[in-house]
Amino acid sequence: MMSNNKNSIDRRSFLKVSSLAGGGMLIGFNFFTACKPDAKLPVKEIVDVSKLKFINFNAFIKIAENNIVSIIAPNPEIGQGVKTSMPMIIAEELCVAWDQVRVVQGGLDTDVFDRQVAGGSQSIRHGWNALRETGATVKHMLVNAAAKKWAVKPETCKAANGIISNGKGDKISFGKIATEAAKMEVPKDVKLKDPKDFTIVGTDIGNVDIDEIISGKPLFGLDYRKEGMLFASVMRPPAFGQKLESFDDSQLKNKSGVVDVFEFDNKIAVVAKTTWQAMRAKKDIKAKWKSDSRLESTQDLDQELNDLLEGNKYKTMRSDGDIKKAFAEADQILERIYEAPVIPHNCLEPMNFFAEVTEDKIHLAGPIQTPASTANRISKVLKRDLKDIKLDMTRMGGGFGRRLYGDFAVEAARISDKIRKPVMVVFSREDDMEDGIYRPATKYKFRAAIKNNKITGYHLIEAAMNSNMYGLIPNFFPAGSIENYQVDVASYKSHITTGAWRAPYTNFLAFAEQSFFDELAEEMKIDKVQLRLDLLEKAKGNKDKRMQYSPERMEKVIKTVVNKSGFGKSKPGIYQGFSAYYCHNTHVAEVADVVIESGVPIVKKVTCVIDCGIVVNPLGAKNQVEGGVIDGIGHAMYGELKFDQGIPQSNNFDAYRLIRMNETPVVETQFIENEISPTGLGEPALPPVSGAMANAIKAATGIRMTKQPFIQYHNVFEKELNNS
């Protein structure tokens, strides 16, 4: 329904309005609520919007006399679609036609931007209210200006498609009234649209960069160019845990195009006139490396995690009831361990970044998910004032968490600081895979106490490499549905660098948890879906504020996916697996259809039902779901990076298996329609699919998989199926 929106933030800090010299008005607004009240518009630079420095605002709206609305968007775009969907929300409440909107990528402003980050599937969720309020506020100013011009009450006027009209037949475009509107008082209360009246939000809108992408125009970090720019390739330790002892670069003295070679931060930089020259020259460096401690192999990681699971060095994240008593009194105890390997990110565009460090300023440009923290890190490394750093964001050819870490940007800044010339650091594919910040190897131990055929105790123990994301897991389902419930975590410190990988931790935990629930249902001889529904029923009405999921919303996606997929009613030869999971504020249920081809199970179809609140852009949302599902299947089936004495054993796609085009299933997606504010979508579809796939493969082969990647079971599949 239509609502009066009382603004919870200071009006002056929310909206800044200035007249343009050539007519029209420029509106600067905050995407998020945490803005600074002393932010000021850079008045001297507002005539040419392309030269704006974005010092004071998260984004700008420029309304020109020709009725074109330009929106400068601040958030990093990694393919999740925020550069399209965020402006859609503004345009909706502004009541402008989408074909009048122009969207431009903004740069970093460390003074006033709030959460200028691409990660955690949180951009739309955090920006929803402020974006709507921004559009509505601007619309009201335009309407008020038109009403004043016509000497009528604003209530008699309406705005649609960038045109204001009244009951007397008067009409005026936003552009023609913009200058007058810039002088109007910013309204304190604005009416927001009833979602049923949306004309842009909820419609399919194509990617605003699609023409540039398909025509090959420069958008990505690797496209960035500046006159006089050099290129750097970096030699890093071949094994994690090694230190540089010495190096011989004598063979590079007469190498064509080589400009400089030097050591920095336990690495060696080769600077040349072209990327090819730099990468070729690096191969001729003879370096000696040493290690002061054990260099880890995959079997070492495996043993360390086993030791953690069997030890007692846990940190308890949540403890309800008395699990010791529950297990002591149980009729039956089910215990399983699930294991996941290290995997790289494998972004299509390898890591790269541009830097130009001079006495007066530092100019940075490239694909980064965390521009503010990266600029801050470079400020500290170079001991330079943060205000002297300008960071321009390019579109990213994939991120998946890898570009949360600005190590490659720091390298570029350090090299440019040394040579005092503009330089771009470029990773080869081998560099990208050998010097990653990988998904950590992880093991989960599940224990369930069963009494009178009911789950009375539930104990989850996590053991992971370098874990720092413990807070992600204790308060998701089944928290709040089992009286005696405990989550413990333990971490092993490794030289191998690890970090966030798409849907951190939940990307594997969902497979383990949902496989375990199927095992529980089999052990208890009850329906697998009903087991989840019964637990959700117990969670309803739970007032524990720690519990993050909604039992009612989860129940609805489960019942919808069962109905849509025909779960339990499949045709002969089709085996189905079910999974349901909550993460990134979104509820998802999926069913995988598996068939046996040439003795191995193949996923043919995945039915996915999602409750992510209001869907801003269905076309973009569907793309996110399909991409997440396929990504989840591919990595669960094939993804594994092994190490030998600290050295990654795969460094390109000839030795690292990814899902192939002919292996991708049909993905049928349905969104639950409601009027709840949007939640995350870039990541939530990925975690449940490996659980659905594993449960379907169990139905097809009788084999319960407890380890990823699943490809290691193929010989077992063939043997089992031949015997049967």
Side-chain angles (χ1 to χ4, degrees):
M1 60 182 178
M2 187 177 292
S3 62
N4 258 348
N5 197 69
K6 288 236 181 239
N7 297 315
S8 59
I9 54 177
D10 178 77
R11 300 305 304 174
R12 293 183 180 180
S13 65
F14 170 71
L15 193 62
K16 306 289 179 180
V17 184
S18 285
S19 299
L20 294 170
M25 70 175 173
L26 184 72
I27 298 106
F29 63 89
N30 288 290
F31 268 87
F32 307 106
T33 57
C35 65
K36 296 186 178 180
D38 58 350
K40 300 186 187 309
L41 188 71
V43 177
K44 294 181 180 179
E45 298 182 284
I46 63 174
V47 175
D48 185 353
V49 74
S50 68
K51 295 182 179 180
L52 285 171
K53 293 183 178 178
F54 313 116
I55 296 173
N56 298 302
F57 304 98
N58 298 98
F60 299 97
I61 299 175
K62 175 186 174 184
I63 302 179
E65 284 191 332
N66 64 358
N67 226 30
I68 293 297
V69 178
S70 295
I71 301 175
I72 302 174
N75 277 42
E77 174 60 64
I78 53 175
Q80 82 281 43
V82 294
K83 191 175 176 183
T84 303
S85 53
M86 280 183 157
M88 285 176 66
I89 298 167
I90 298 165
E92 180 64 71
E93 294 287 352
L94 182 60
C95 295
V96 64
W98 183 250
D99 61 9
Q100 297 170 263
V101 173
R102 303 293 181 269
V103 181
V104 180
Q105 178 67 60
L108 173 67
D109 186 324
T110 56
D111 291 329
V112 298
F113 286 166
D114 177 52
R115 203 186 181 279
Q116 196 177 13
V117 172
S121 300
Q122 297 298 300
S123 296
I124 295 299
R125 176 173 175 258
H126 278 277
W128 174 250
N129 289 330
L131 294 171
R132 293 186 69 193
E133 186 180 332
T134 295
T137 301
V138 175
K139 180 194 73 175
H140 278 73
M141 293 176 70
L142 292 161
V143 168
N144 290 345
K148 182 178 179 181
K149 178 181 180 70
W150 294 327
V152 299
K153 292 182 178 181
E155 306 88 77
T156 65
C157 304
K158 66 178 182 178
N161 297 322
I163 302 293
I164 303 165
S165 60
N166 62 30
K168 298 181 179 180
D170 298 315
K171 292 184 178 181
I172 192 168
S173 71
F174 284 3
K176 296 300 182 184
I177 199 64
T179 301
E180 288 79 3
K183 304 171 186 176
M184 301 296 293
E185 182 180 354
V186 177
K188 295 181 178 179
D189 301 318
V190 294
K191 288 184 177 180
L192 300 180
K193 283 185 175 181
D194 188 318
K196 67 179 177 58
D197 296 326
F198 286 165
T199 58
I200 294 177
V201 169
T203 63
D204 291 338
I205 300 292
N207 189 316
V208 294
D209 286 337
I210 193 63
D211 290 341
E212 287 81 3
I213 291 172
I214 62 177
S215 60
K217 292 181 181 176
L219 280 173
F220 299 91
L222 286 172
D223 297 324
Y224 193 88
R225 292 292 182 271
K226 186 168 185 177
E227 187 175 352
M229 184 175 84
L230 299 172
F231 297 86
S233 184
V234 178
M235 176 178 281
R236 305 170 184 87
F240 285 91
Q242 287 184 327
K243 302 289 184 183
L244 179 63
E245 193 171 45
S246 64
F247 71 95
D248 177 6
D249 62 344
S250 58
Q251 293 189 40
L252 276 64
K253 299 299 183 184
N254 298 316
K255 280 280 185 182
S256 175
V258 176
V259 175
D260 206 346
V261 181
F262 56 89
E263 176 187 350
F264 77 105
D265 300 341
N266 198 42
K267 306 169 188 176
I268 304 167
V270 179
V271 183
K273 293 181 180 179
T274 69
T275 305
W276 178 250
Q277 289 170 333
M279 289 182 176
R280 290 284 296 175
K282 184 176 70 173
K283 295 181 178 180
D284 291 330
I285 295 176
K286 294 180 172 60
K288 292 183 179 180
W289 306 87
K290 63 179 180 179
S291 58
D292 298 326
S293 60
R294 180 185 65 170
L295 300 178
E296 301 149 300
S297 297
T298 295
Q299 56 266 34
D300 299 320
L301 302 177
D302 186 68
Q303 186 58 52
E304 292 286 353
L305 296 179
N306 282 338
D307 291 345
L308 284 177
L309 286 182
E310 300 307 320
N312 57 7
K313 296 180 180 179
Y314 302 135
K315 179 178 180 181
T316 298
M317 302 303 297
R318 176 168 175 155
S319 182
D320 300 344
D322 187 341
I323 63 164
K324 289 184 178 179
K325 182 179 179 182
F327 281 96
E329 296 177 352
D331 299 330
Q332 185 180 0
I333 295 173
L334 182 66
E335 179 178 305
R336 291 289 184 271
I337 294 176
Y338 295 85
E339 307 174 35
V342 173
I343 56 175
H345 292 81
N346 288 325
C347 304
L348 181 62
E349 177 190 23
M351 300 304 106
N352 65 89
F353 221 77
F354 167 86
E356 182 178 17
V357 179
T358 67
E359 291 293 333
D360 301 324
K361 66 179 179 64
I362 298 174
H363 180 204
L364 307 169
I368 186 72
Q369 292 178 244
T370 52
S373 63
T374 298
N376 188 62
R377 181 178 172 187
I378 289 171
S379 168
K380 291 177 179 178
V381 167
L382 299 186
K383 298 179 180 179
R384 297 286 294 269
D385 198 317
L386 188 60
K387 67 180 177 61
D388 294 334
I389 297 178
K390 176 189 177 186
L391 192 153
D392 293 326
M393 290 177 285
T394 64
R395 193 178 180 95
M396 292 174 249
F400 314 117
R402 177 61 181 93
R403 286 188 163 99
L404 291 170
Y405 309 97
D407 51 296
F408 44 92
V410 173
E411 288 182 350
R414 292 278 282 115
I415 294 169
S416 180
D417 186 47
K418 171 77 172 178
I419 65 176
R420 288 302 167 103
K421 293 180 180 179
V423 65
M424 177 183 285
V425 166
V426 181
F427 282 44
S428 66
R429 177 60 62 192
E430 289 79 7
D431 293 334
D432 206 50
M433 291 185 69
E434 291 175 345
D435 195 61
I437 299 180
Y438 312 106
R439 185 187 81 173
T442 307
K443 295 192 179 187
Y444 288 108
K445 178 191 283 188
F446 292 83
R447 299 177 69 233
I450 303 169
K451 188 174 180 62
N452 298 325
N453 216 38
K454 301 290 184 184
I455 302 173
T456 56
Y458 186 93
H459 189 194
L460 170 62
I461 303 173
E462 175 193 87
M465 297 167 59
N466 306 321
S467 182
N468 62 355
M469 297 185 180
Y470 293 141
L472 287 173
I473 63 173
N475 302 312
F476 294 174
F477 179 81
S481 68
I482 300 171
E483 183 178 355
N484 305 295
Y485 173 87
Q486 185 164 314
V487 177
D488 293 328
V489 294
S491 179
Y492 159 62
K493 187 170 179 58
S494 170
H495 288 302
I496 298 168
T497 51
T498 62
W501 191 94
R502 191 176 188 176
Y505 286 81
T506 62
N507 59 64
F508 169 62
L509 177 56
F511 150 69
E513 175 196 282
Q514 291 297 301
S515 296
F516 186 64
F517 276 121
D518 259 32
E519 287 202 73
L520 274 171
E522 291 167 4
E523 199 73 24
M524 298 163 68
K525 296 180 173 54
I526 62 175
D527 182 83
K528 296 165 184 175
V529 173
Q530 193 60 48
L531 173 64
R532 275 88 159 183
L533 294 176
D534 289 344
L535 289 170
L536 289 169
E537 194 63 36
K538 290 181 180 180
K540 290 179 181 178
N542 194 318
K543 303 299 183 184
D544 189 335
K545 293 182 179 179
R546 296 173 297 171
M547 199 172 81
Q548 296 183 23
Y549 65 98
S550 163
E552 292 80 10
R553 295 175 76 177
M554 182 65 84
E555 179 183 66
K556 188 165 186 178
V557 296
I558 289 174
K559 289 183 176 179
T560 304
V561 82
V562 167
N563 180 61
K564 182 176 176 62
S565 66
F567 182 72
K569 303 174 183 176
S570 59
K571 296 178 181 178
I574 298 176
Y575 305 89
Q576 294 185 307
F578 166 84
S579 177
Y581 202 72
Y582 165 90
C583 66
H584 300 88
N585 311 104
T586 294
H587 302 77
V588 185
E590 298 181 1
V591 170
D593 290 4
V594 162
V595 299
I596 302 298
E597 292 182 357
S598 302
V600 295
I602 304 294
V603 182
K604 285 294 187 180
K605 176 183 172 184
V606 175
T607 306
C608 184
V609 175
I610 297 184
D611 183 349
C612 60
I614 293 170
V615 179
V616 176
N617 184 357
L619 177 62
K622 185 179 179 183
N623 290 339
Q624 287 297 302
V625 172
E626 292 181 355
V629 167
I630 292 169
D631 194 14
I633 291 173
H635 280 90
M637 182 66 78
Y638 306 113
E640 180 177 24
L641 183 63
K642 293 183 178 181
F643 293 83
D644 184 10
Q645 298 296 302
I647 301 174
Q649 296 302 288
S650 303
N651 66 8
N652 212 316
F653 296 140
D654 61 335
Y656 187 87
R657 181 81 154 83
L658 292 172
I659 192 169
R660 295 165 182 162
M661 190 73 75
N662 66 342
E663 295 166 338
T664 60
V666 172
V667 182
E668 291 190 357
T669 305
Q670 179 173 327
F671 296 100
I672 299 294
E673 293 185 9
N674 55 45
E675 296 182 2
I676 302 171
S677 296
T679 54
L681 197 55
E683 293 163 291
L686 184 148
V689 72
S690 52
M693 177 168 57
N695 290 335
I697 292 173
K698 171 61 165 59
T701 66
I703 298 168
R704 171 59 64 190
M705 294 175 296
T706 59
K707 297 181 181 181
Q708 292 184 2
F710 299 158
I711 194 171
Q712 64 189 293
Y713 289 88
H714 274 199
N715 289 337
V716 181
F717 294 149
E718 292 173 349
K719 183 178 179 180
E720 181 73 19
L721 291 167
N722 288 335
N723 289 339
S724 62

